Amino acid sequence: MVARRAQLADVAVDMAARQRDISVSEFFVKNRHLLGFDTPVKALVTAVKEAVDNALDACEEAGILPEIHVQVIDRYGKYRIVVEDNGPGIVETQIAKIFGKLLYGSKFHKLSQSRGQQGMGISAAGMYAQLTVAKPLHIISRIAGEPLASELLVSIDVAKNRPDIHRKKRMQWDKPHGTRVEMEMEGHYQKGPHSIEAYLQQTAIANPHVTIVYQDPGGAGTRFERSVAALPAQPTEIKPHPYGIELGRLIQMLSDTPKRTLLQFLIHEFSCVGKETALKIIAQAGGRLSERSYPKHIARAQAVALHNAIKHTRVRAPRTDCLVPIGTEQLLEGLRKELKAEFFTATLRPAASYRGNPFQVEAGIAYGHAGDSDIEVGPDGHMHKKAQQSGEPAPGLKNEAVRLLRFANRVPLLYQQASCAITKGVIQTNWRGYGIQQAKGALPTAPMAIIVHVASVWVPYTSESKEAIEPYPEILKEIKLALQQCGRELASSGCTRNMTAAATSKPSCRISASPYRTSFR
Amino acid sequence: MVARRAQLADVAVDMAARQRDISVSEFFVKNRHLLGFDTPVKALVTAVKEAVDNALDACEEAGILPEIHVQVIDRYGKYRIVVEDNGPGIVETQIAKIFGKLLYGSKFHKLSQSRGQQGMGISAAGMYAQLTVAKPLHIISRIAGEPLASELLVSIDVAKNRPDIHRKKRMQWDKPHGTRVEMEMEGHYQKGPHSIEAYLQQTAIANPHVTIVYQDPGGAGTRFERSVAALPAQPTEIKPHPYGIELGRLIQMLSDTPKRTLLQFLIHEFSCVGKETALKIIAQAGGRLSERSYPKHIARAQAVALHNAIKHTRVRAPRTDCLVPIGTEQLLEGLRKELKAEFFTATLRPAASYRGNPFQVEAGIAYGHAGDSDIEVGPDGHMHKKAQQSGEPAPGLKNEAVRLLRFANRVPLLYQQASCAITKGVIQTNWRGYGIQQAKGALPTAPMAIIVHVASVWVPYTSESKEAIEPYPEILKEIKLALQQCGRELASSGCTRNMTAAATSKPSCRISASPYRTSFR
């Protein structure tokens, strides 16, 4: 018995000896599929995506019309990826951390619509490059007005999640300002709906102010030219909405605030709380709380009362000027440029919120006439009409699911379609009500493309690879409302009437006077 | 122009000022849905699951037959969860870190089959408790032979991802050894297929050596008694298989190893590499490498050659004695205890590997006669026959999907069924070949339950909440092979013949002599 006890105690001590820190980099090396690096095809797309998203964010934040050069080079079975922007450049002391450390960045701690939000994407790409080819990232960056650019070779010390700098020097660079990142990794290059081309093309649709120059591994060049010469409005940064604050976070905020009274705290740390609302909250909380209470001295029980008071006080809905949708006109412009369809409609929902985070949904539909044309993504990654013989019904009309284009904060989402709130929203919309075939629990079947964009100050992705949106009920509801609006427009256009008849004869509906409609709320 | 340049430079400097570290705890507070805390119902289930999984791992590692007490108490709309085990206890200096720090633990750095692997689960539950109710975790732990237990109140400093200890003292405790954790959180208690009861019941199926005593918020008690009085074999720890090592990792291992020759390095840092294989690899690598090469001095180009040499040398398949499946006999025993079906079969596949990680799949089927009985999960979370009127066809026979029970390393997976490799494996199996209805791309439709267990030294989950298995091709293939074996057994039993006729008349097949079959490979 004593021996057994001693043995058990030894086990506990043994276990203790093995317990230790896991660095966030080690964690993601083992779980690289969470970051989008699970297959060689996806690895290349993800790496390009992370670099381009960062470039676009930087340009827009600096008020520069983005011109991005992307190059993918075949290096004897490995691939070298080069992404170069005309952004503001990066301060030299920050370069190593941005590219050589997971969970480091400027976007996580502010509530503002941006493509990146985790501070993880580009360093994850670098980590994957290092894992598979064992070469560091090569970065060149120049700030406007500096005589020279900074050049660094950076890898990640995975066990410590911190950058290893292999070279750092100043060099001549022909660009007046911008950043260039170059990395080499294992991968597999492939065209099609989940390709680098598809990502760039869809990026061009959602970002008509961007020019992208792309060179594929075969050396062929594609230029996605901007169709709009003005930047979209700059998204503003907001404070959290009081309805989205949990008790634990409220207590943390009370202890962290520089404000010296509860009244000032409520007004300055939250959005949508003016003096009047703040006073109502304090009155509702009652007890020993007053507008002069010193935030850092508010005890847990009082914080609980304050938290309840917030729930029971009417606070106006989250501000929406922090969100910058693509805009229905531009959405249609992009669709028309890329799709040969006969009927277009788009709609923008008013902003709503989930967990206190404002978000806004916009959706569009491009519908090709039954029996006239069908939309497909060709081997080049571009959508175009399906080839067909005249007189025959359009191929795939009856049993082809609609083409779905998903966007979050202007970034195309290419993978994990099944788990995405947008897909669920499309499936849960009753398309048969608008004259479109749909099997239970499936995407509708029609010669149609659907575009949905969700813009938010914090997009809840289903994984760190940011490929799908978590179906929070509030988000799902707005997506469905936007789609219903589009569906009604489509049904009232008459295009979907007599689908079966239309499949064998030339259709009668063609909106020639107005090539597209927009509907605003 | 100069003004514009200066302005751009300012933007870069502004950005730099905002760039900073994101702690892993902050990241997961904002992305709590990644950890399984997205809805109030799921939050309770996840918290119980993390605590019970840890308790089971600790007991088994110490060679103790686990007896776990789980209590969920309604506290005026919040819930208090208490989980107590008879494990070996935790060394006092480790308690705070284990419960108050994400990414800390003993299981991440070793390749061994265990329920936990990330060092994140229980501290995530604590973080959620702190966020919603703002009370610390209350932990009591005692090591065998110690006169007193340690009692701690621990919360997480989210900004720094480190534990805050609010109280630490020694106390009398009636248990000779074990650990007790108590936490209070917002949540919603609910019965059904995604409930705490379902999790515990399925845990009992997959772990017949475990006794669980459960008290629900209504005060009702359930005892899941062990049916086997012996522990399963202890999973052994293994070294990585050379085929799963990427170049970057190989270079890291060369630089970290304490071994002083390449030969010793290959033999001791990898599994399945003996002296002969190691010499073959070195010969294949050629160049300046010899068996006496000093690992730390091997340059990148030589490492590349070594990496290629490994790929081109025959190394025996990963060891499989590191895996402990549930076992077909025990799987059937569990199924029979819980399910009233007429035909049972189960199969165990040989071990295979993905990315160098060994894994093993076992699957079982319980089939209720068409028109005789149907299986459903009742409001109590237990599966039983569906009530039916005699003479009528069984309800739901034609349009009800099979019940699917998914397990990874003996842990039931309750959520994210659609994204799981197991679900994909079931859908991609051609059940019509075995006489069972199945729509394209859907689960088969039959009065049937399917159990699949994937055991591995590293289960690739689709998210940190560990609810679904990433469909790596190798894993998907093994799942399908196991299901096909079960399907063939089922078809040859004759149970699924004349399904439509059977739906209206008493069925003729009943395996009375042998209530179940097992098939081994």
Side-chain angles (χ1 to χ4, degrees):
Chain A
M1 190 59 203
V2 171
R4 172 76 181 140
R5 270 216 310 257
Q7 207 181 342
L8 279 182
D10 283 352
V11 171
V13 173
D14 276 0
M15 283 178 178
R18 273 179 285 114
Q19 268 138 5
R20 59 186 177 103
D21 280 329
I22 301 151
S23 97
V24 66
S25 312
E26 288 175 316
F27 178 77
F28 282 112
V29 163
K30 257 190 157 173
N31 285 311
R32 73 193 70 148
H33 55 274
L34 298 180
L35 292 169
F37 293 93
D38 36 337
T39 70
V41 173
K42 208 167 148 186
L44 289 190
V45 179
T46 303
V48 169
K49 182 172 181 274
E50 298 295 354
V52 171
D53 287 353
N54 277 0
L56 292 177
D57 272 346
C59 287
E60 291 175 14
E61 197 167 339
I64 299 165
L65 271 175
E67 179 164 330
I68 318 283
H69 290 252
V70 179
Q71 218 183 338
V72 180
I73 303 155
D74 190 336
R75 297 269 304 161
Y76 317 105
K78 321 274 185 215
Y79 288 89
R80 180 173 294 172
I81 295 170
V82 184
V83 175
E84 188 174 315
D85 66 45
N86 59 338
I90 302 169
V91 170
E92 192 180 88
T93 51
Q94 294 293 324
I95 295 175
K97 283 183 181 168
I98 289 173
F99 291 91
K101 185 171 172 52
L102 295 186
L103 291 178
Y104 187 84
S106 62
K107 301 166 199 167
F108 181 87
H109 288 101
K110 64 175 183 176
L111 282 174
S112 165
Q113 178 183 338
S114 60
R115 293 170 182 81
Q117 57 189 28
Q118 306 175 153
M120 198 130 76
I122 191 65
S123 37
M127 201 165 71
Y128 186 74
Q130 181 178 335
L131 183 68
T132 56
V133 177
K135 286 185 185 171
L137 289 182
H138 179 200
I139 303 128
I140 300 172
S141 190
R142 182 175 174 188
I143 296 177
E146 290 282 319
L148 294 170
S150 307
E151 183 191 23
L152 279 90
L153 291 180
V154 175
S155 67
I156 301 190
D157 178 341
V158 169
K160 301 200 177 73
N161 187 36
R162 67 179 187 203
D164 264 348
I165 302 175
H166 302 266
R167 186 205 296 166
K168 180 160 146 184
K169 60 169 192 161
R170 296 291 176 103
M171 61 171 277
Q172 294 286 346
W173 200 33
D174 52 2
K175 261 203 148 85
H177 53 86
T179 301
R180 178 186 191 279
V181 56
E182 183 180 325
M183 52 191 149
E184 196 173 316
M185 58 176 61
E186 272 185 12
H188 182 74
Y189 178 77
Q190 174 175 297
K191 308 235 175 185
H194 302 301
S195 61
I196 294 171
E197 284 84 350
Y199 160 73
L200 294 176
Q201 191 223 11
Q202 292 183 26
T203 300
I205 291 181
N207 301 273
H209 61 287
V210 172
T211 292
I212 301 173
V213 183
Y214 172 59
Q215 188 189 313
D216 75 15
T222 315
R223 191 178 170 93
F224 300 91
E225 191 67 46
R226 69 173 59 88
S227 59
V228 179
L231 281 167
Q234 188 103 348
T236 51
E237 188 178 341
I238 58 163
K239 299 281 181 183
H241 192 275
Y243 284 175
I245 297 296
E246 304 84 357
L247 176 61
R249 182 131 169 255
L250 178 66
I251 292 174
Q252 193 66 50
M253 287 173 76
L254 284 167
S255 118
D256 291 349
T257 186
K259 298 293 165 191
R260 302 183 59 85
T261 71
L262 181 55
L263 184 71
Q264 289 298 308
F265 167 77
L266 289 171
I267 294 171
H268 290 277
E269 300 286 354
F270 294 100
S271 73
C272 307
V273 178
K275 190 174 175 187
E276 201 180 328
T277 310
L279 289 172
K280 275 187 198 157
I281 291 171
I282 295 166
Q284 173 83 33
R288 295 169 54 197
L289 287 177
S290 80
E291 58 177 282
R292 306 259 290 273
S293 299
Y294 185 58
K296 287 192 206 302
H297 291 170
I298 292 177
R300 187 183 172 282
Q302 296 169 324
V304 171
L306 188 65
H307 190 244
N308 283 328
I310 289 173
K311 280 194 216 157
H312 293 100
T313 306
R314 205 179 145 75
V315 182
R316 67 170 190 277
R319 286 173 53 175
T320 65
D321 57 352
C322 56
L323 297 172
V324 184
I326 299 170
T328 48
E329 287 292 341
Q330 298 210 347
L331 208 65
L332 291 170
E333 191 59 40
L335 269 174
R336 282 211 299 158
K337 205 169 59 177
E338 303 296 341
L339 275 174
K340 299 283 177 288
E342 302 291 326
F343 174 81
F344 293 87
T345 186
T347 189
L348 173 66
R349 292 282 311 157
S353 72
Y354 78 93
R355 268 175 41 194
N357 296 315
F359 73 95
Q360 192 164 17
V361 173
E362 56 195 329
I365 282 181
Y367 186 87
H369 280 304
D372 185 21
S373 71
D374 200 359
I375 300 149
E376 63 171 11
V377 173
D380 55 357
H382 285 245
M383 269 172 287
H384 50 66
K385 283 190 191 180
K386 258 192 183 167
Q388 79 166 115
Q389 279 120 10
S390 70
E392 283 190 13
L397 171 66
K398 290 240 169 119
N399 46 23
E400 186 146 314
V402 296
R403 176 79 43 206
L404 182 55
L405 302 178
R406 300 175 290 131
F407 293 92
N409 286 0
R410 293 172 183 263
V411 178
L413 309 178
L414 296 186
Y415 288 92
Q416 291 190 15
Q417 179 167 299
S419 16
C420 186
I422 293 177
T423 313
K424 288 178 207 280
V426 173
I427 288 174
Q428 290 172 23
T429 299
N430 178 16
W431 293 94
R432 278 178 287 192
Y434 312 122
I436 287 174
Q437 289 187 19
Q438 184 183 21
K440 198 185 157 193
L443 287 174
T445 304
M448 187 165 85
I450 300 176
I451 286 203
V452 179
H453 177 225
V454 176
S456 179
V457 297
W458 181 262
V459 179
Y461 292 104
T462 59
S463 87
E464 288 81 354
S465 56
K466 304 196 292 176
E467 293 159 347
I469 303 167
E470 182 78 15
Y472 275 89
E474 299 87 346
I475 298 178
L476 201 52
K477 181 184 159 201
E478 284 297 318
I479 291 169
K480 286 194 275 186
L481 287 171
L483 291 169
Q484 284 162 12
Q485 175 65 19
C486 290
R488 280 192 298 272
E489 290 289 326
L490 176 62
S492 70
S493 77
C495 278
T496 60
R497 242 175 274 152
N498 302 320
M499 279 263 296
T500 339
T504 50
S505 69
K506 200 74 188 163
S508 57
C509 89
R510 179 176 293 262
I511 307 159
S512 50
S514 148
Y516 60 84
R517 294 181 178 191
T518 65
S519 53
F520 295 91
R521 271 183 68 106
Chain B
M1 190 59 201
V2 172
R4 172 77 181 137
R5 270 214 311 256
Q7 207 181 342
L8 279 181
D10 284 352
V11 171
V13 173
D14 278 0
M15 283 180 179
R18 274 178 284 115
Q19 269 138 4
R20 59 186 176 103
D21 280 330
I22 301 153
S23 96
V24 66
S25 312
E26 290 175 315
F27 178 78
F28 282 112
V29 163
K30 257 188 155 175
N31 283 313
R32 74 193 70 148
H33 55 275
L34 298 180
L35 292 169
F37 293 93
D38 37 338
T39 70
V41 172
K42 207 167 148 185
L44 290 190
V45 179
T46 304
V48 168
K49 182 172 181 277
E50 297 295 353
V52 171
D53 287 353
N54 277 0
L56 292 178
D57 272 346
C59 287
E60 290 174 14
E61 198 167 339
I64 299 166
L65 270 176
E67 179 164 331
I68 317 283
H69 290 251
V70 179
Q71 218 183 338
V72 180
I73 303 156
D74 190 337
R75 295 270 303 162
Y76 317 105
K78 320 274 185 215
Y79 288 88
R80 181 173 294 171
I81 295 170
V82 185
V83 176
E84 189 176 314
D85 66 46
N86 60 339
I90 303 168
V91 170
E92 193 179 86
T93 50
Q94 293 293 323
I95 295 175
K97 284 183 182 169
I98 288 174
F99 291 91
K101 185 172 172 50
L102 294 185
L103 290 179
Y104 187 85
S106 62
K107 301 167 199 166
F108 181 87
H109 288 101
K110 64 175 184 177
L111 282 175
S112 165
Q113 178 183 335
S114 59
R115 294 170 181 81
Q117 56 188 31
Q118 307 175 154
M120 198 130 76
I122 192 65
S123 37
M127 201 165 72
Y128 186 75
Q130 181 178 335
L131 183 69
T132 56
V133 177
K135 287 185 185 171
L137 289 181
H138 179 199
I139 302 128
I140 301 173
S141 190
R142 182 173 174 190
I143 296 177
E146 289 282 318
L148 294 170
S150 307
E151 184 189 24
L152 278 91
L153 291 181
V154 175
S155 67
I156 301 191
D157 179 341
V158 170
K160 302 202 177 73
N161 186 35
R162 68 179 185 201
D164 264 346
I165 301 174
H166 301 266
R167 186 205 295 168
K168 181 159 147 183
K169 60 169 194 161
R170 296 291 176 102
M171 61 172 275
Q172 294 286 345
W173 199 32
D174 52 1
K175 259 201 148 86
H177 54 84
T179 301
R180 179 186 191 276
V181 57
E182 183 179 325
M183 52 192 149
E184 196 173 317
M185 58 175 63
E186 272 185 11
H188 182 73
Y189 177 76
Q190 174 175 296
K191 308 235 175 187
H194 301 301
S195 61
I196 294 172
E197 283 84 351
Y199 161 73
L200 293 177
Q201 191 223 10
Q202 291 183 27
T203 300
I205 290 181
N207 300 274
H209 60 289
V210 172
T211 292
I212 301 173
V213 183
Y214 172 59
Q215 188 188 315
D216 75 16
T222 315
R223 192 179 169 94
F224 300 91
E225 190 68 47
R226 69 173 61 87
S227 59
V228 180
L231 282 167
Q234 189 103 347
T236 52
E237 187 178 342
I238 58 163
K239 298 283 181 183
H241 192 274
Y243 284 174
I245 297 296
E246 304 84 356
L247 177 60
R249 182 130 170 257
L250 178 66
I251 291 174
Q252 192 66 50
M253 288 172 75
L254 284 167
S255 117
D256 292 349
T257 186
K259 298 293 164 191
R260 302 183 58 85
T261 72
L262 180 55
L263 183 70
Q264 289 298 308
F265 167 77
L266 288 171
I267 294 172
H268 289 277
E269 300 286 354
F270 294 101
S271 72
C272 308
V273 178
K275 190 172 175 190
E276 201 179 329
T277 310
L279 288 173
K280 275 187 199 159
I281 292 172
I282 295 167
Q284 173 82 32
R288 294 169 54 198
L289 287 177
S290 79
E291 59 178 281
R292 306 260 288 273
S293 299
Y294 185 56
K296 287 191 207 301
H297 291 171
I298 292 176
R300 185 183 173 283
Q302 296 169 324
V304 170
L306 189 63
H307 190 243
N308 283 328
I310 288 173
K311 280 193 218 158
H312 293 99
T313 305
R314 205 181 145 74
V315 181
R316 68 170 190 274
R319 284 172 55 175
T320 64
D321 56 352
C322 55
L323 297 173
V324 184
I326 299 170
T328 47
E329 287 292 341
Q330 298 210 346
L331 208 65
L332 290 169
E333 190 58 40
L335 268 174
R336 282 212 298 158
K337 204 169 61 177
E338 304 295 340
L339 275 173
K340 299 282 176 290
E342 302 291 327
F343 174 80
F344 293 86
T345 185
T347 189
L348 172 66
R349 292 282 310 158
S353 71
Y354 78 95
R355 267 174 44 196
N357 296 315
F359 72 94
Q360 192 164 17
V361 173
E362 55 196 328
I365 281 181
Y367 186 87
H369 279 305
D372 185 21
S373 70
D374 200 0
I375 301 149
E376 63 172 11
V377 173
D380 54 356
H382 286 247
M383 269 171 288
H384 50 67
K385 283 188 191 183
K386 259 194 183 165
Q388 77 166 116
Q389 280 118 11
S390 71
E392 284 188 15
L397 171 65
K398 290 238 169 122
N399 45 22
E400 186 148 313
V402 296
R403 174 82 42 207
L404 182 55
L405 302 178
R406 300 175 290 130
F407 293 90
N409 285 1
R410 293 172 183 262
V411 178
L413 309 177
L414 297 185
Y415 288 93
Q416 291 190 16
Q417 179 167 300
S419 16
C420 186
I422 293 176
T423 314
K424 288 178 206 279
V426 173
I427 288 173
Q428 290 173 23
T429 299
N430 178 17
W431 292 95
R432 278 178 288 192
Y434 312 122
I436 288 173
Q437 288 185 20
Q438 184 183 22
K440 199 186 156 193
L443 287 175
T445 304
M448 185 164 87
I450 300 175
I451 287 204
V452 179
H453 177 227
V454 177
S456 179
V457 297
W458 181 262
V459 179
Y461 292 104
T462 59
S463 87
E464 289 81 354
S465 57
K466 304 195 292 177
E467 294 159 347
I469 303 168
E470 181 78 14
Y472 275 89
E474 298 87 345
I475 298 178
L476 201 52
K477 181 184 158 202
E478 284 297 318
I479 292 170
K480 285 194 276 187
L481 287 172
L483 291 169
Q484 284 163 10
Q485 175 65 21
C486 290
R488 281 193 296 273
E489 291 288 328
L490 177 61
S492 71
S493 77
C495 279
T496 60
R497 244 175 272 151
N498 303 319
M499 278 262 297
T500 338
T504 50
S505 68
K506 202 73 187 161
S508 58
C509 90
R510 178 176 293 263
I511 306 160
S512 50
S514 149
Y516 60 86
R517 294 179 179 192
T518 65
S519 54
F520 296 90
R521 271 183 69 103

